[in-house]
Amino acid sequence: MANGDAVPKILPKGGGGGEVKKKNGQANGRTRRALGDIGNIVTGPAVGAKPQTKVSHPITRRSAAQLIAKGQEPVQKNKTKPLVTKGVAARKVGVPAKAEAIKKDYVKAKAGTISGICPEEDVKTIEKIPLKERKVRKSGKTLTSILTARSKAACGLSNKPRSQIVDIDAADIDNHLAGVEYVEDIYKFYKLTEDENRPCDYMDSQPEINDRVRAILVDWLIEAHKRFELRPESLYLTVNIMDRFLSEEPVPRRELQLLCISSMLIASKYEEIWAPEQVNDFLTITDNAYVRDQILLMEKVILGKLEWYLTVPTPYVFLVRYIKAAVPSDQEMENMTFFLAELGLMNYTTVISYCPSKIAASAVYAARSTLNRSPRWTDTLKHHTGYTEDQLRECAKQLVSFHFGAAENKLKAVYRKFSSPDRCAVALLPPARDVHIGSS
């Protein structure tokens, strides 16, 4: 009986000449496949197989292209079972292909095409997407443009090109007295402060004054202003001082003329280069109804009540600027504007209802309408005045209605003043029909 040493050793199934397979599962001469096929890992050569070029790194498209360029082929991992990349339908890895095709795939991969992540039928390469579809479709306006437009609208600024707005200060660039560097800021300040120095509605607090009496006083002031040959700004400041004082203090009718000449004396001292030299000049035009001390006392009372504040933006301040902006402007245009503005100065409702800048802008608009200037309102005027045609139309209609009734009105100081040839006789021109709302 044979001993245990004579028993032949059991060989593993399917092969001979190898060692017995151990319980720990180590394969004879092979690396154990822990996770199955992963597609691009090159394993060692099988026992007895022909030696292959040793590759110590995974085969990528780039390295495969380099191998092919050197006359080599990428190593197949398994000749009997094709490897399928996860998510890619039946694509063999390592099959020899032309270098140009692999290079093309590599270029596509760098451009952003990713293979092996989703099925090929669902993948759209960048080359297949039209250029216009690749761009992000944006709405016509961005948030920044919308906020900018709203900010400009809130500030009253225009979005129109600057080239449409005439530089009215270009001719005065060398005139140091014109203050070209500061004129825009000055008028912005005037518009901000014009409401602080406007007279309030004082007719209810003045028992002996009505609209008609005030119109008579202003008509008389215009005559006195013309007789003394004073500057235009003196007239507007005189009326402003008178109205502001009446807003603060009730005045009996017998002292109204005294208030007028005292206001003109103050305005002359403030505005004129050569003011009337003696108070007696003002006493003369009143037929000596008052004495010198009364005028000086009233002057002191007025200045105290107004707290000596005389630097105020009157309609004249805006008139000279807006007439300059009404390019092209001529003498006829200038006189027509002042004619309509002084008609408005006599009307109590106009002075109380509208601020000085609007009265001045409306006078320019009404004058352009009367003289048939086209267009009636330009971008330059809109820029410098800050008003549109719709904002000025109502006030302009009032001024034109005063023009309709100027010839029949008993108070003719303004009408006579602007009927003279040296004023281009603008008062004799027919009023503008398209803004007329009826005489008042």
Side-chain angles (χ1 to χ4, degrees):
M1 185 174 177
N3 55 20
D5 295 334
V7 178
K9 295 181 180 180
I10 302 175
L11 297 175
K13 184 179 179 180
E19 294 181 1
V20 179
K21 187 177 182 180
K22 298 180 181 181
K23 288 185 178 181
N24 58 8
Q26 284 184 344
N28 183 20
R30 291 178 180 272
T31 303
R32 183 184 175 193
R33 303 172 77 189
L35 300 176
D37 295 334
I38 61 176
N40 65 345
I41 302 298
V42 178
T43 59
V47 177
K50 184 179 179 180
Q52 299 180 357
T53 304
K54 185 177 180 181
V55 181
S56 60
H57 57 80
I59 294 180
T60 62
R61 291 175 179 172
R62 184 173 185 178
S63 60
Q66 294 174 353
L67 289 174
I68 291 175
K70 294 179 180 179
Q72 300 178 359
E73 295 182 355
V75 181
Q76 273 187 305
K77 179 166 177 61
N78 196 335
K79 293 183 180 180
T80 60
K81 184 178 179 181
L83 298 179
V84 180
T85 305
K86 186 178 180 181
V88 180
R91 178 171 182 174
K92 293 182 180 181
V93 179
V95 178
K98 294 182 179 181
E100 291 80 2
I102 296 178
K103 288 181 179 180
K104 183 177 181 181
D105 290 341
Y106 174 67
V107 172
K108 290 182 179 181
K110 288 194 70 174
T113 304
I114 303 175
S115 61
I117 296 179
C118 56
E120 288 182 350
E121 59 268 19
D122 296 333
V123 176
K124 290 185 178 180
T125 60
I126 291 180
E127 287 77 2
K128 294 181 181 179
I129 302 176
L131 182 61
K132 63 181 180 179
E133 295 183 7
R134 270 187 261 158
K135 293 181 179 179
V136 179
R137 295 181 180 179
K138 298 181 180 180
S139 59
K141 296 181 179 180
T142 62
L143 181 59
T144 302
S145 63
I146 294 173
L147 293 176
T148 302
R150 290 180 179 178
S151 299
K152 288 184 177 181
C155 297
L157 299 177
S158 175
N159 291 325
K160 293 188 177 182
R162 186 75 179 179
S163 58
Q164 297 184 13
I165 300 174
V166 179
D167 185 4
I168 62 176
D169 298 312
D172 297 326
I173 194 67
D174 296 326
N175 183 5
H176 299 294
L177 298 178
V180 174
E181 300 87 350
Y182 314 106
V183 66
E184 291 286 348
D185 293 333
I186 290 172
Y187 276 91
K188 285 180 182 178
F189 177 76
Y190 283 158
K191 291 199 71 172
L192 287 175
T193 59
E194 62 177 336
D195 289 332
E196 299 177 4
N197 303 288
R198 286 177 57 193
C200 61
D201 190 353
Y202 55 80
M203 285 302 172
D204 294 337
S205 62
Q206 297 287 346
E208 298 187 36
I209 303 175
N210 54 31
D211 295 5
R212 181 67 179 174
V213 172
R214 181 192 175 276
I216 294 173
L217 293 175
V218 176
D219 184 78
W220 182 80
L221 282 174
I222 293 173
E223 290 280 9
H225 175 269
K226 183 180 178 181
R227 179 175 177 178
F228 286 126
E229 298 180 351
L230 301 178
R231 299 169 62 86
E233 46 264 54
S234 298
L235 174 63
Y236 288 88
L237 182 58
T238 298
V239 177
N240 176 271
I241 293 172
M242 182 188 71
D243 284 333
R244 286 166 61 199
F245 184 80
L246 291 173
S247 300
E248 300 288 339
E249 189 75 19
V251 179
R253 181 170 297 210
R254 66 179 181 273
E255 295 182 1
L256 288 176
Q257 197 174 22
L258 177 62
L259 171 64
C260 289
I261 59 175
S262 299
S263 299
M264 182 168 284
L265 177 62
I266 295 172
S268 299
K269 291 179 178 180
Y270 186 84
E271 295 286 1
E272 298 292 330
I273 299 176
W274 302 105
E277 297 181 0
Q278 298 180 359
V279 179
N280 294 333
D281 294 337
F282 291 98
L283 294 177
T284 302
I285 63 174
T286 62
D287 293 331
N288 295 315
Y290 307 99
V291 295
R292 176 186 174 86
D293 292 340
Q294 286 178 303
I295 296 179
L296 297 179
L297 179 61
M298 177 61 75
E299 179 186 16
K300 183 177 180 181
V301 172
I302 292 173
L303 291 174
K305 187 62 68 173
L306 301 183
E307 299 179 352
W308 293 77
Y309 197 80
L310 303 176
T311 308
V312 295
T314 64
Y316 179 83
V317 171
F318 297 101
L319 281 169
V320 291
R321 183 67 173 172
Y322 298 166
I323 291 173
K324 189 176 182 180
V327 289
S329 180
D330 51 26
Q331 199 67 25
E332 186 180 39
M333 172 70 190
E334 180 178 346
N335 283 296
M336 177 60 73
T337 302
F338 279 113
F339 169 62
L340 294 171
E342 291 189 20
L343 289 176
L345 196 65
M346 291 183 60
N347 187 270
Y348 173 77
T349 303
T350 303
V351 173
I352 297 300
S353 301
Y354 301 105
C355 60
S357 64
K358 181 169 280 191
I359 294 174
S362 300
V364 174
Y365 178 74
R368 292 179 67 87
S369 300
T370 304
L371 299 176
N372 295 319
R373 299 296 172 86
S374 182
R376 299 293 173 82
W377 203 244
T378 63
D379 293 330
T380 304
L381 281 166
K382 183 179 178 181
H383 171 75
H384 287 286
T385 64
Y387 294 109
T388 63
E389 287 188 68
D390 293 336
Q391 293 173 316
L392 301 176
R393 192 166 284 116
E394 289 301 320
C395 184
K397 286 178 180 179
Q398 287 192 20
L399 299 180
V400 172
S401 68
F402 303 151
H403 187 185
F404 268 93
E408 291 79 18
N409 198 327
K410 294 181 180 180
L411 305 176
K412 294 184 178 295
V414 179
Y415 184 78
R416 287 194 298 266
K417 177 180 177 180
F418 288 92
S419 296
S420 61
D422 59 336
R423 299 281 184 171
C424 300
V426 293
L428 304 179
L429 296 176
R433 292 282 179 181
D434 52 350
V435 293
H436 177 51
I437 58 173
S439 58
S440 59

